[in-house]
Amino acid sequence: QVKLDLKKLRNKFPNMYEKLEYIASLTRQLSIHYKYLGLLMFSDNREIIQNKRPTLIRDSVLKLYEQEVKKVKKDSNFVIFK
């Protein structure tokens, strides 16, 4: 079902799909756990997010990563993905 949903998203909202693909690729390339990405995307609890921040990645790199995730969340079509 997830594959079908992603295919629909790609067809109907290609820009949103590309942004999600970019974030997934960035997450993989930086060796950040997908759980942390999930927290950034779906949680508003700053304390939990702060406590789960990866410790082996430089703070400056994490800040850039978090900014990129925020850009995706600001997309008007993020609600459809969510």
Side-chain angles (χ1 to χ4, degrees):
Q1 184 61 47
V2 172
K3 283 185 178 184
L4 290 174
D5 290 344
L6 285 173
K7 190 173 183 177
K8 285 181 191 176
L9 183 72
R10 184 178 64 213
N11 290 334
K12 290 184 180 183
F13 304 97
N15 288 337
M16 184 72 227
Y17 184 85
E18 285 179 24
K19 289 178 183 181
L20 292 170
E21 215 173 33
Y22 164 71
I23 287 299
S25 175
L26 191 59
T27 303
R28 190 172 41 255
Q29 289 176 28
L30 292 174
S31 298
I32 294 174
H33 291 282
Y34 289 104
K35 282 184 177 184
Y36 185 64
L37 172 60
L39 276 174
L40 290 176
M41 292 186 112
F42 302 113
S43 177
D44 293 324
N45 188 324
R46 298 301 308 155
E47 185 178 338
I48 291 174
I49 292 170
Q50 187 64 34
N51 289 337
K52 298 291 183 177
R53 276 184 118 211
T55 55
L56 299 177
I57 298 173
R58 295 182 84 152
D59 192 52
S60 59
V61 173
L62 275 176
K63 283 183 182 178
L64 287 171
Y65 174 75
E66 291 164 355
Q67 288 173 357
E68 292 300 307
V69 173
K70 280 183 185 177
K71 288 179 189 176
V72 173
K73 287 177 69 174
K74 287 182 181 178
D75 188 294
S76 59
N77 293 320
F78 182 73
V79 174
I80 294 163
F81 166 70
K82 194 174 178 179

